[in-house]
Each structure stands twice: as structure tokens, then as C-alpha cells.
Amino acid sequence: MKFSIYRFNPDTDKEPYMQDYEIELTPDTRMLLDALIQIKEMDDTLSLRRSCREGVCGSDAMNINGKNGLACVTPLAELKQPVVLRPLPGLPVIRDLIVDMTQFFEHYNSIKPYLVNNDPPPATERLQSPEDRAKLDGLYECILCGACTTACPSFWWNPDKFVGPAGLMQAYRFIVDSRDQAQEERLENLEDPYRLYRCHNIMNCVDVCPKGLNPSKAINEIKALKVKRKLAHD
Amino acid sequence: MVKAGHGFSDWAWQRISAGLMLIYLIMLTVRVAIDGPQATGDGMLNFADWRAWCQPMWFKLSSLIFAWALIYHAWIGVKEITMDYLHHPVVRERVQRVCAILSWIYAVLILLIVWNT
């Protein structure tokens, strides 16, 4: 099977280049990550992140034939040859397929991705009704791989200011959590014209999410909550 | 009262202005369908016929609201585009200022046109 892989080592290369590889697939090589590990055995200078190899850790997000995805859950049988692999777009490349995700996680941190509840902790858990718990479905499953945010043109245009679909979906995950007491502050935290409102419903995030989530819907729910909040206060 | 940041207000006004335009367009379609301009003279609709059709005060007012909603909608759109693409603050501010001045000129012109019709 043929591959064309983005290579860049800042210590030795002046600029990035594409390197071709051809490998004989073994019968148990089913996913793209398996093939990449096979290539890495052949050429150990190739750098990539990977860990759980089953779509849970989010480490091996990359641009696969022009579309962001996770190498470990992408079947080789579905890919056109040569398989063109590039690092996630819009983030600085550290080396080969490894990108610097500092900015991505700074945006994630900015939405306070933790429960804010000032009541004394109960003896057991903070309980929720099944209905309230159901509101978190489709949100908590995000693995923060960055595929959605780095596929978003609004993020490419304003990466320093726009929180991005992954961060905003997690913002909504806490806004809608019945146990959280900081909904007002969380909505105010997204009032700036760049942090939330750069989203123009392009929906690349929905297209690429390897977990099948819908960040665009979560973002629109936040906008709707802001309308309700405004009407309630005026 | 919650402070109205311009992130929310721009987003809300873009939708409100779109709603106003939609209402006017529906109203216009209905009026043309059931009470369209009447041809006088040689049987063909001419400028005078259209002008007479535009005379009712309610129609002038609603046309003006439509035109202003369109201009405001476009202004917010242009502002969004400059925020997306123009990253140099001075360049962005100047482009926005030119567009704001143009929007005001259009708003006044449309007022004069509608009122003098």
C-alpha cells in the first residue's frame, strides 16, 4: 500500500516535504495506525503520537487524505491510494505528524472545564436526575483530539481568540450540567465577539468528529441560552 | 441588567434585521398578488403607476424599515467579515469606518428616495 507522509524536522530541514512509502500489509493490518507503526519500524525517524490505539485517547489525530481523523479508527480499506498524511492543520508543527497543541488546551482551560459548586460536598455523590444526566450525552464523550477545532476555518482565521468547537462544546457541557453553579459566569465568559461568535456554522467540526459528536449544535445551544438570559434580565 | 456586549448584540441584530426583511418580503408578495399596481394609460405599467402604488404612508414606512434593516444587516455582515479576515487593527478599523460611512450615506439616501416618491 502506498503512502505519502508529511515530514519536517526543524533541526535538519529548512522546509517540510512529502515522503513516499510503500509497504506490504500483513493480514492483521486493518487500521491506518497499524500501517503507520509498520512504516515506523521501517523508518524510525518518522514521528507521530499514539497511545490507546482504540479511539479513546485522541493522540493520533491527523489529516488523512485531506480530512481530519484518528489513525487508529480509520480502516485502511476505506482509503484511496496513495494515502496522504499531514499533521492537523492550523497548529504549529513540532515534527512530522506531531503538532503543538498548547493553544488548543489554553482555549480548553479558558472555559473552566470543571464543575463549579460552592455547596459543601455531600457524603456521597452530587446527584442528578436521569433527565439532567441525559443532557450531558453527546457532550462528555469528547476526547479532545483536536480534529474538529483544527478543521474549523474560524479557528484558522483567529486561532488566538476563537475558543474553537472542542472548547465550546465542553463549555456547554458544564453550562448545562445541573450540578454546576457558574452558568452566569460561563455565559459572560463567552460574551466577547471572538470567543463564541466567530462560529458561523460552517460545520466542518461535525463532519470530522471521530466520535460522531455535534459541536455545532452545542454552540447554537449556547447562543440560544444567551438569548434567554438576555430576555430574563431585561 | 446584563451588560450588552457586542458579540451578542451583533448576533441578535443580524437575526432581528433578517426577520424584519422576511416579514416585509412576505407582505410585499401578498400585496403584489392581491392588490398589484394598476396600469393606466396605454395598458402597460409605467413609472407613474408604480409611484402611485407606493404612495400609502404605511407602505412607505414599511419600505423604509426594510431598507434600513437591509443596510444594518449588511453592515453587521461586513463587520463580521473584517473581524474574520483583517487582523491588523488599524486596517480593520479603517475598512470598518469606510463601510460605516457608506452605510449611513445609503440610509439617508434611501430615506430621501422613499419620502420624495
Side-chain angles (χ1 to χ4, degrees), chain B residues 71-72 74-79 82 91-108:
Chain B
I71 292 166
Y72 197 56
W75 156 242
I76 296 170
V78 166
K79 200 159 67 168
T82 57
V91 175
R92 184 173 62 235
E93 199 186 312
R94 287 194 181 158
V95 171
Q96 285 185 353
R97 199 168 290 175
V98 169
C99 292
I101 292 167
L102 278 175
S103 300
W104 274 109
I105 292 172
Y106 288 138
V108 173

Side-chain angles (χ1 to χ4, degrees), chain B residues 2-115:
Chain B
V2 175
K3 189 184 72 188
H6 88 261
F8 174 79
S9 64
D10 279 357
W11 179 85
W13 275 108
Q14 200 161 34
R15 275 139 192 87
I16 292 167
S17 56
L20 289 172
M21 288 192 284
L22 183 66
I23 292 167
Y24 177 84
L25 288 174
I26 292 169
M27 189 202 76
L28 186 69
T29 310
V30 171
R31 189 176 176 215
V32 168
I34 64 175
D35 180 28
Q38 299 298 314
T40 54
D42 59 0
M44 296 285 284
L45 276 174
N46 56 32
F47 176 75
D49 300 329
W50 279 105
R51 188 160 186 252
W53 192 70
C54 294
Q55 284 309 307
M57 184 54 75
W58 69 268
F59 189 73
K60 282 189 175 186
L61 269 177
S62 54
S63 299
L64 199 57
I65 291 169
F66 167 80
W68 282 345
L70 175 65
I71 292 166
Y72 197 56
H73 190 84
W75 156 242
I76 296 170
V78 166
K79 200 159 67 168
E80 293 283 312
I81 292 167
T82 57
M83 285 166 73
D84 282 341
Y85 293 112
L86 299 179
H87 293 146
H88 194 290
V90 177
V91 175
R92 184 173 62 235
E93 199 186 312
R94 287 194 181 158
V95 171
Q96 285 185 353
R97 199 168 290 175
V98 169
C99 292
I101 292 167
L102 278 175
S103 300
W104 274 109
I105 292 172
Y106 288 138
V108 173
L109 273 178
I110 209 89
L111 174 70
L112 295 174
I113 291 166
V114 170
W115 234 241

Side-chain angles (χ1 to χ4, degrees), chain A residues 157-158 188 191 193-194 197-198 200 223 226-227 229-230 233-234, chain B residues 1-9 11 80 83-85 87 92:
Chain A
W157 299 325
N158 288 291
E188 189 60 36
E191 184 49 45
Y194 283 93
Y197 289 102
R198 283 311 89 205
H200 304 307
K223 289 174 177 171
K226 286 174 83 74
V227 174
R229 169 174 173 260
K230 180 77 180 144
H233 282 75
D234 280 352
Chain B
M1 192 189 126
V2 175
K3 189 184 72 188
H6 88 261
F8 174 79
S9 64
W11 179 85
E80 293 283 312
M83 285 166 73
D84 282 341
Y85 293 112
H87 293 146
R92 184 173 62 235

Side-chain angles (χ1 to χ4, degrees), chain A residues 18-35:
Chain A
M18 301 301 288
Q19 186 168 350
D20 294 333
Y21 293 94
E22 189 162 2
I23 55 168
E24 283 295 318
L25 297 181
T26 55
D28 55 345
T29 307
R30 289 184 53 242
M31 297 296 177
L32 175 59
L33 182 63
D34 302 328

